Amino acid sequence: TQMAMNQMSKFFAATRTSLLLGLLLLIINACNSQKATTSNITEAITGTYRVLQLAATDLTNNPIQLTFDPANQSVFGNTGCNDFFAAYTIEGQHINIKGIGQTKMICDDPAMDIERSLTHLLGNRTGWSRKKDTLTLTGNGSAQDNMIAIKIAN
């Protein structure tokens, strides 16, 4: 019986060790999976985009552009009137753009209205999605705060 007890003790110790190693590998794999997901999200919004629509306003003939640089977590571009720059972070399907700075030229009212709408959208916690080369930013879950842009450069 002593020999049987020793064998059972060794069996349980080996089983416990195997379970702990399996759990450790599962945790490591989960961490690596999360890193890949974050990397894919960052890659999904890299490059230069031309804004085609802001809320209900068609901007296809307007030179508004945004460039996302994930290496520096920065976004910069032109609102059609002024140049701007800011830092950004991504949290899942939300992008947070903070510290927007811009040049201070005064333009005609339509351009200034568009600029105010764009900087308002970018300055708030914004949802994002991307299908192929089309990037959509959505603020407050409302069509009033949507921006649609198409990728024009990497």
Side-chain angles (χ1 to χ4, degrees):
T1 61
Q2 183 64 21
M3 183 188 251
M5 293 288 279
N6 283 342
Q7 286 179 341
M8 282 181 60
S9 178
K10 287 180 183 179
F11 172 77
F12 286 125
T15 302
R16 185 172 8 130
T17 302
S18 295
L19 287 172
L20 288 174
L21 283 173
L23 181 60
L24 181 62
L25 288 173
L26 183 65
I27 290 170
I28 290 170
N29 189 36
C31 289
N32 286 337
S33 173
Q34 180 62 33
K35 286 179 186 174
T37 300
T38 301
S39 175
N40 290 341
I41 287 172
T42 301
E43 290 171 13
I45 51 175
T46 184
T48 300
Y49 295 82
R50 181 160 184 195
V51 178
L52 302 177
Q53 184 175 341
L54 183 60
T57 305
D58 179 1
L59 299 174
T60 53
N61 295 321
N62 218 312
I64 299 172
Q65 292 186 359
L66 306 147
T67 299
F68 291 91
D69 177 3
N72 296 310
Q73 289 188 307
S74 65
V75 59
F76 55 91
N78 184 281
T79 65
C81 179
N82 286 292
D83 292 332
F84 74 94
F85 55 91
Y88 77 92
T89 57
I90 296 174
E91 296 171 4
Q93 289 304 119
H94 288 93
I95 182 167
N96 297 305
I97 298 174
K98 300 290 181 195
I100 297 176
Q102 63 190 88
T103 56
K104 299 292 183 185
M105 289 191 332
I106 297 175
C107 300
D108 61 3
D109 282 338
M112 293 305 294
D113 291 340
I114 291 167
E115 180 175 291
R116 279 188 286 276
S117 294
L118 181 63
T119 55
H120 174 76
L121 172 66
L122 296 177
N124 291 303
R125 181 177 166 92
T126 304
W128 72 272
S129 64
R130 179 162 174 228
K131 291 181 183 171
K132 296 187 180 183
D133 285 341
T134 302
L135 174 66
T136 302
L137 299 182
T138 308
N140 301 327
S142 161
Q144 285 292 101
D145 290 333
N146 280 359
M147 181 199 81
I148 299 172
I150 190 161
K151 190 170 190 175
I152 59 171
N154 287 329

